[in-house]
Amino acid sequence: MDSVQIETTAPLTLEFTQIASPPTAISSNSRISKDTIRTSLKASTADSVLASVYSLGTGGILLSNLLVELGASPVVFGMLSSIPMLVNLIQPLGAYLSERSTSRFQYSLRTHGISRLLWLILVIGIASASWGVFDTHQLVILTLLIVLFSNLLGGLGTASWLSWVAMIVPRQLRGRFFGTRNSAANLSTLVCVPIAGLVVSHWYGGSLQGYGIVLLVSVVFGIIGLGCQYFQVDMNPRYLQLQATQNTYYGNLTPSEIQSEVAKDESSKVLQSIHPPQDQSINSIWKNSNFLIFLLYFSFWTLAVNLSSPFFNLYMLDTLDLNVSYVTIYNSFQAAATLLMFILWGKLADKIGNRPILISIGILVAATPFLWLGISVNRLDIWLWLPLLHILIGGTWAAIDLCNNNIQLAIAPTKNQSIYFAIAAAVAGVSGALGTTIGSFIVQFSQSGGLLSLFALSGLFRLVALVPLMFLQEQRG
């Protein structure tokens, strides 16, 4: 529901360097053709579809159900949700390393590829638990470790991927493209979530083995999704950084020749001044008041949302004691609403901007936690109100996710984009992890009604988090 892209003013005629990886790489003295952009956008959409299947098995309701089956405490649920956000602190390091790589595609394979393969260890662990090698407590610890290291590696590659996509997608098509891309991903979720829920709940060897089968299939789809990135136009961050920041064109020089040229440039700068040069990128961030306002909103919004969002599934699976099949059906309703609304929000964002949508729909999202207060175990709530509530969540969060990503694209300057992306993700990750941690302790140590009180508190905090948006300026073409 809470997922996690930044406007670049770079023209479509941006020159790329010769890269010896995917065959679609553009040489340094050529321009991106419309056919190449079209192929890249199709490949990115296919990647999102397959990645959604991967995310289905490695997170969300199925992973939450696994922990419920293993008897995990609310603190463990809080850790499960906070780890992916907290490891965003590593994104600035990932941005630094990615800008010194020679291929976005190869860097993505090294980070996201290993990240996804790590989940095979949990598949082996589940099989071992079925044979009595692991007990439930050890399997919970193994699950948290896999979540930690997988997200650490993914965090190293997120800023690079975001910068890669931002340079490929034309600015005037960004809202529609991401709307269509996310709709395609949610369509796969809509189809696969009920199937996966039925497999887990009706597997002849038990729900634990059923989840192991679903997880294995998810990892396979995730690896295939990374293969789709091969067909996206690749680029060399080192060439782009040198040509953009040093105003120097290096043509088709090899990496070793570029390093020689860079060494000459740096030597000449040392001779000109005995003082070390200041870090212009960091200084520009602190001077960018619009970006700082966005960070204030984004961090507090993430904290407010994550006070409650990790615990909605826990409330249904544990407090209401609903079967996982019901919950996966509700999630399918949510995915269907997201699927239908993403395209609408994308077109509307292109017309009126992202900030008005974030403010108006944000108020509705802030009110959503209060709607959980009257949910109980009766036929009316199970068959009517819970489906309607998930449809509302899917439709509204489609707008929030899309516009949060797009407004980042609109605010971050072209120069050092990945650094801006990484800082935003790191700040939001810390605040989100803090929110989840606070929420888990409130639920764990409250006497009664802890979850419902937490939902109400989250709703109030969400309303307050929208205030900085009033002062945010969004540049529109």
Side-chain angles (χ1 to χ4, degrees), residues 5-7 92 162 281-299 404-413 415-428 468-469 471-475:
Q5 289 167 30
I6 309 185
E7 181 170 61
L162 193 56
S281 61
I282 299 299
N283 289 337
S284 65
I285 292 174
W286 292 115
K287 294 178 181 179
N288 192 333
S289 59
N290 207 37
F291 181 72
L292 294 179
I293 293 174
F294 172 77
L295 283 184
L296 178 63
Y297 150 73
F298 199 41
S299 59
N404 271 337
N405 290 337
N406 286 346
I407 206 167
Q408 288 186 67
L409 290 168
I411 292 174
K415 183 178 178 181
N416 296 313
Q417 272 189 331
S418 60
I419 301 297
Y420 279 80
F421 302 162
I423 290 177
V427 171
L469 283 177
F471 306 96
L472 187 67
Q473 297 180 359
E474 178 186 6
Q475 295 180 356

Side-chain angles (χ1 to χ4, degrees), residues 298-352:
F298 199 41
S299 59
F300 199 63
W301 174 261
T302 308
L303 185 148
V305 166
N306 284 282
L307 275 174
S308 59
S309 62
F311 305 103
F312 291 132
N313 286 333
L314 176 63
Y315 184 69
M316 290 185 289
L317 292 170
D318 188 29
T319 304
L320 300 182
D321 197 24
L322 297 178
N323 187 278
V324 67
S325 299
Y326 287 100
V327 183
T328 54
I329 292 175
Y330 299 152
N331 280 263
S332 297
F333 288 146
Q334 181 176 327
T338 304
L339 167 68
L340 295 175
M341 296 303 294
F342 255 132
I343 298 177
L344 174 63
W345 294 127
K347 293 180 179 179
L348 187 60
D350 287 338
K351 291 182 179 180
I352 68 173

Side-chain angles (χ1 to χ4, degrees), residues 222-461:
I223 298 302
I224 297 174
L226 283 179
C228 293
Q229 296 182 6
Y230 179 84
F231 300 97
Q232 295 178 197
V233 55
D234 202 354
M235 58 186 68
N236 189 326
R238 185 177 299 178
Y239 285 101
L240 295 176
Q241 183 73 9
L242 290 173
Q243 293 178 13
T245 61
Q246 299 181 13
N247 195 25
T248 305
Y249 180 71
Y250 291 100
N252 289 321
L253 297 181
T254 63
S256 60
E257 291 172 331
I258 287 181
Q259 292 175 359
S260 177
E261 294 295 328
V262 174
K264 293 178 183 178
D265 292 340
E266 292 177 347
S267 299
S268 63
K269 292 177 182 178
V270 172
L271 293 175
Q272 292 173 5
S273 175
I274 61 173
H275 299 287
Q278 294 182 348
D279 193 332
Q280 299 295 331
S281 61
I282 299 299
N283 289 337
S284 65
I285 292 174
W286 292 115
K287 294 178 181 179
N288 192 333
S289 59
N290 207 37
F291 181 72
L292 294 179
I293 293 174
F294 172 77
L295 283 184
L296 178 63
Y297 150 73
F298 199 41
S299 59
F300 199 63
W301 174 261
T302 308
L303 185 148
V305 166
N306 284 282
L307 275 174
S308 59
S309 62
F311 305 103
F312 291 132
N313 286 333
L314 176 63
Y315 184 69
M316 290 185 289
L317 292 170
D318 188 29
T319 304
L320 300 182
D321 197 24
L322 297 178
N323 187 278
V324 67
S325 299
Y326 287 100
V327 183
T328 54
I329 292 175
Y330 299 152
N331 280 263
S332 297
F333 288 146
Q334 181 176 327
T338 304
L339 167 68
L340 295 175
M341 296 303 294
F342 255 132
I343 298 177
L344 174 63
W345 294 127
K347 293 180 179 179
L348 187 60
D350 287 338
K351 291 182 179 180
I352 68 173
N354 298 283
R355 192 176 72 99
I357 298 176
L358 285 175
I359 294 174
S360 57
I361 302 301
I363 295 174
L364 186 57
V365 172
T368 302
F370 294 101
L371 301 179
W372 286 86
L373 302 183
I375 299 296
S376 59
V377 184
N378 57 66
R379 290 184 177 272
L380 181 63
D381 288 348
I382 292 176
W383 295 105
L384 180 61
W385 294 121
L386 278 175
L388 289 177
L389 181 57
H390 281 80
I391 291 173
L392 175 64
I393 292 172
T396 54
W397 269 102
I400 298 298
D401 287 342
L402 180 66
C403 293
N404 271 337
N405 290 337
N406 286 346
I407 206 167
Q408 288 186 67
L409 290 168
I411 292 174
T414 304
K415 183 178 178 181
N416 296 313
Q417 272 189 331
S418 60
I419 301 297
Y420 279 80
F421 302 162
I423 290 177
V427 171
V430 172
S431 59
L434 179 62
T436 301
T437 303
I438 294 173
S440 64
F441 279 103
I442 290 176
V443 175
Q444 180 76 17
F445 300 108
S446 61
Q447 297 297 326
S448 61
L451 280 172
L452 297 181
S453 300
L454 186 65
F455 295 166
L457 182 65
S458 175
L460 294 175
F461 274 47

